[in-house]
Amino acid sequence: MKDSRVTAKPAAKGKAHSRGIVSSSHLVSPRSVELSEFEFGMIVAWNAFSRWAMRCMAAAGCPDLTITDVLVLHHLAHRERNKKLADICFVLNYEDTHVVAYSLKKLVAADLVRAEKVGKEVLYSPSPAGEAAVRQYREVREACLIDNLDAERNADIGEMARLLRTMSGMYDQAARAATSL
């Protein structure tokens, strides 16, 4: 089995050598081992977050929801405004509207979401059961996650959030560039 760690080129004088843990050593660029390490971190973090969100929702009483279902339900509860499919996809950065449409149908069938036709648009909002599930999720989140959070790391977490939004823009731009090749 090959070692998934990659050693970067010798660092400039006074800088430590970077040794990153990556999932795809064949993609590592000598110009940025760190980007490959970041990508591996995103993969691992996304999968851990997805598992957490689904298990938290299960503990809140909704055991059969996918990560998309959980994200859509939380977004619908955000700011207590009805939302259109296109807006949900835009905010959550889902390109495939069919995935979100399927999730909405599933949430409506589970009585967690209401759909209301207004003219040609369908607007979605959480049902009372959906609102209760979101409140219960928050309680589980507070007990299992927030209570274990070192509040002194909040500034670092905020900086990471800003970096992730910046990187998401870079990946979106790179995706547009790759599409035109």
Side-chain angles (χ1 to χ4, degrees), residues 76-94:
L76 290 174
H78 178 63
R79 300 194 191 255
E80 300 178 4
R81 287 187 217 139
N82 295 348
K83 295 171 181 78
K84 300 182 290 187
L85 171 63
D87 294 334
I88 297 165
C89 292
F90 179 72
V91 169
L92 296 178
N93 204 15
Y94 274 81

Side-chain angles (χ1 to χ4, degrees), residues 22-64:
V22 303
S23 66
S24 304
S25 60
H26 60 281
L27 296 178
V28 175
S29 170
R31 293 174 36 201
S32 184
V33 171
E34 294 81 3
L35 185 60
S36 292
E37 188 173 16
F38 174 80
E39 290 171 345
F40 182 55
M42 276 198 315
I43 292 165
V44 173
W46 170 252
N47 287 317
F49 172 75
S50 297
R51 186 171 40 255
W52 150 251
M54 291 185 303
R55 291 189 179 160
C56 184
M57 190 54 84
C62 301
D64 299 323

Side-chain angles (χ1 to χ4, degrees), residues 50-116:
S50 297
R51 186 171 40 255
W52 150 251
M54 291 185 303
R55 291 189 179 160
C56 184
M57 190 54 84
C62 301
D64 299 323
L65 300 185
T66 66
I67 185 60
T68 300
D69 302 334
V70 174
L71 296 176
V72 168
L73 180 59
H74 284 300
H75 181 61
L76 290 174
H78 178 63
R79 300 194 191 255
E80 300 178 4
R81 287 187 217 139
N82 295 348
K83 295 171 181 78
K84 300 182 290 187
L85 171 63
D87 294 334
I88 297 165
C89 292
F90 179 72
V91 169
L92 296 178
N93 204 15
Y94 274 81
E95 188 173 17
D96 188 351
T97 59
H98 295 86
V99 171
V100 176
Y102 178 74
S103 180
L104 286 164
K105 285 180 185 178
K106 187 174 161 185
L107 291 166
V108 168
D111 194 34
L112 295 170
V113 167
R114 290 186 286 210
E116 175 187 357

Side-chain angles (χ1 to χ4, degrees), residues 116-132:
E116 175 187 357
K117 190 157 181 147
V118 177
K120 293 182 179 183
E121 296 285 351
V122 178
L123 300 176
Y124 297 92
S125 61
S127 67
E131 291 171 351

